[in-house]
């Protein structure tokens, strides 16, 4: 059985959103001790905090929090207290306090066309970002050439003789880098991306001369300047020069990082759970414990 941090590591690498549930308080008889964790994704759950209706309610709460977090595109946290009595269909008699922490996974979807020397260098850099990288080429052998390590789990290799067809499968606001071995193919892919009209970044490898020819072809196809204006060609930061594959890759990766960092919303002045919420939860637990003690003493007096 995989342990929770192995599951989290896998989900993080895949860019999958999830909620980490932690038993932060256990009083009396409870299914699991304080510190026990489980992980919940949109369609699955991993590990356990004891099963039963408590776990059923916890999973439902986690999935609701996950939907809210994905809608608002920000991680959230909350604490909930669960008395383990008739209400939950469990007769443990204790209580459990659970911390729910959402992690929204990859906000960055990147499609890289081309598995040549620069493509390989760039894929290795991009794979280290919190992203899903779709790496497209029609030449299966090119992926294997010079590759000695298994691809990271957040990199999806796509083999397609018509790579432009893959553009339609991407979510809105994706990032695209076009660097195939064939200029006409580059043009077709770039035009397909631009026709979608929702790319956050379009980078095209090549010289100024190549870009001038592409602009002439766009104009010949009755596309105005506004249509192809989003294209960054040559792709990459102008202040990071160099022609080596790794130099070009670093330049393009830097431009993408700068782009998505600018798109991030400002960090709110308050994040996570406030100290008042924690204090109120502590007071609630104390009140529950006092009530339980008083009930026990009253029962003892009546039976003595």
């Amino acid at each position: 059985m995989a342990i929770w941090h192995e599951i989290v590591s896998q989900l993080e690498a895949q860019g999958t959103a999830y909620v980490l549930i932690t038993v932060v308080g256990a009083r009396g008889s409870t299914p699991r001790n304080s510190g026990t964790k489980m992980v919940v994704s949109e369609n699955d759950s991993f590990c356990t905090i004891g099963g039963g209706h408590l776990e059923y309610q916890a999973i439902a709460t986690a999935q609701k929090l996950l939907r809210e977090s994905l809608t608002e595109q920000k991680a959230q946290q909350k604490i909930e207290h669960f008395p383990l009595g008739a209400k939950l269909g469990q007769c443990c008699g204790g209580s459990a306090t659970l911390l729910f922490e959402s992690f929204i996974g990859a906000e960055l979807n990147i499609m890289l066309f081309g598995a040549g020397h620069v493509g390989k260098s760039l894929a290795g850099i991009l794979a280290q970002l919190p992203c899903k990288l779709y790496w497209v080429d029609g030449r299966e052998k090119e992926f294997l050439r010079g590759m000695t390590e298994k691809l990271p789990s957040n990199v999806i290799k796509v083999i397609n003789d018509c790579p432009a067809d893959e553009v339609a499968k991407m979510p809105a606001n994706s990032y695209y880098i076009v660097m195939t071995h064939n200029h006409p193919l580059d043009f077709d892919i770039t035009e397909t991306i631009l026709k979608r009209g929702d790319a956050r970044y379009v980078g095209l490898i090549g010289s100024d001369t190549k870009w001038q020819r592409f602009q002439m072809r766009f104009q010949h196809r009755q596309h105005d300047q506004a249509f192809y204006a989003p294209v960054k060609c040559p792709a990459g930061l102008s202040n990071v020069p160099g022609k080596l594959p790794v130099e070009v890759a670093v330049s393009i990766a830097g431009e993408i990082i700068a782009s998505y960092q600018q798109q991030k919303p400002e960090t709110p002045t308050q994040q996570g759970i406030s100290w008042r919420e924690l204090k109120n939860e502590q007071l609630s637990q104390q009140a529950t414990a006092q009530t339980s003690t008083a009930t026990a003493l009253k029962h003892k007096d009546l039976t003595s």
Side-chain angles (χ1 to χ4, degrees):
M1 179 184 294
I3 51 182
W4 68 269
H5 58 78
E6 292 176 344
I7 299 296
V8 165
S9 183
Q10 292 172 13
L11 295 175
E12 288 281 358
Q14 295 164 5
T16 302
Y18 65 93
V19 172
L20 179 64
I21 305 173
T22 306
V23 180
V24 293
R27 185 180 296 275
S29 179
T30 57
R32 299 295 297 273
N33 295 329
S34 179
T36 302
K37 299 178 186 289
M38 72 176 295
V39 183
V40 176
S41 64
E42 186 176 8
N43 300 309
D44 214 341
S45 63
F46 311 88
C47 308
T48 179
I49 55 170
H53 202 58
L54 168 65
E55 188 165 302
Y56 175 81
Q57 291 282 69
I59 291 172
T61 300
Q63 290 179 331
K64 181 175 183 292
L65 181 67
L66 191 57
R67 288 192 295 271
E68 293 171 354
S69 299
L70 289 171
T71 298
E72 298 179 18
Q73 278 297 294
K74 66 178 182 179
Q76 299 186 45
Q77 303 84 28
K78 67 183 300 185
I79 284 181
E80 287 208 12
H81 184 63
F82 296 86
L84 305 180
K87 184 177 178 181
L88 283 184
Q90 295 185 248
C91 53
C92 299
S95 63
T97 302
L98 306 183
L99 169 64
F100 298 83
E101 301 173 274
S102 69
F103 299 84
I104 60 175
E107 301 176 52
L108 202 57
N109 291 285
I110 304 174
M111 183 163 275
L112 169 61
F113 294 92
H117 296 301
V118 178
K120 288 183 176 68
S121 290
L122 182 56
I125 298 171
L126 295 178
Q128 300 175 63
L129 300 177
C131 73
K132 280 187 179 179
L133 175 62
Y134 302 84
W135 194 9
V136 187
D137 201 303
R139 306 164 297 166
E140 184 172 7
K141 290 183 179 179
E142 196 61 42
F143 282 107
L144 303 175
R145 197 188 309 276
M147 298 286 288
T148 58
E149 297 181 2
K150 184 180 177 181
L151 291 177
S153 57
N154 64 328
V155 179
I156 299 139
K157 182 176 67 175
V158 182
I159 301 168
N160 192 334
D161 290 333
C162 300
D165 293 347
E166 297 297 323
V167 172
K169 302 175 184 179
M170 291 295 282
N173 300 314
S174 293
Y175 290 69
Y176 301 89
I177 309 115
V178 184
M179 50 174 61
T180 77
H181 61 291
N182 184 288
H183 283 202
L185 193 57
D186 281 353
F187 181 86
D188 291 341
I189 294 169
T190 304
E191 184 180 37
T192 303
I193 294 167
L194 294 173
K195 283 181 176 179
R196 280 193 52 150
D198 62 0
R200 184 161 287 179
Y201 173 89
V202 185
L204 173 66
I205 196 169
S207 63
D208 291 332
T209 301
K210 175 181 176 179
W211 181 228
Q212 289 170 6
R213 290 174 178 171
F214 273 35
Q215 292 178 78
M216 291 174 63
R217 290 190 64 186
F218 283 131
Q219 292 164 9
H220 182 70
R221 294 193 179 189
Q222 307 304 311
H223 296 305
D224 59 22
Q225 187 175 3
F227 175 79
Y228 54 79
V231 178
K232 307 288 186 182
C233 184
L237 298 171
S238 59
N239 60 344
V240 183
K243 295 183 179 181
L244 293 174
V246 67
E247 293 171 335
V248 177
V250 167
S251 177
I252 295 172
E255 188 168 58
I256 289 174
I257 292 169
S259 175
Y260 82 74
Q261 289 289 352
Q262 290 171 2
Q263 299 289 337
K264 281 187 174 182
E266 291 186 12
T267 303
T269 54
Q270 179 177 320
Q271 301 179 51
I273 302 168
S274 70
W275 70 269
R276 289 186 179 85
E277 189 175 352
L278 291 171
K279 186 66 175 178
N280 289 338
E281 182 58 43
Q282 184 182 28
L283 293 173
S284 175
Q285 289 188 50
Q286 290 174 351
T288 300
Q290 290 170 0
T291 301
S292 299
T293 302
T295 302
L297 291 173
K298 183 177 180 181
H299 179 73
K300 182 178 180 180
D301 290 341
L302 291 174
T303 55
S304 60

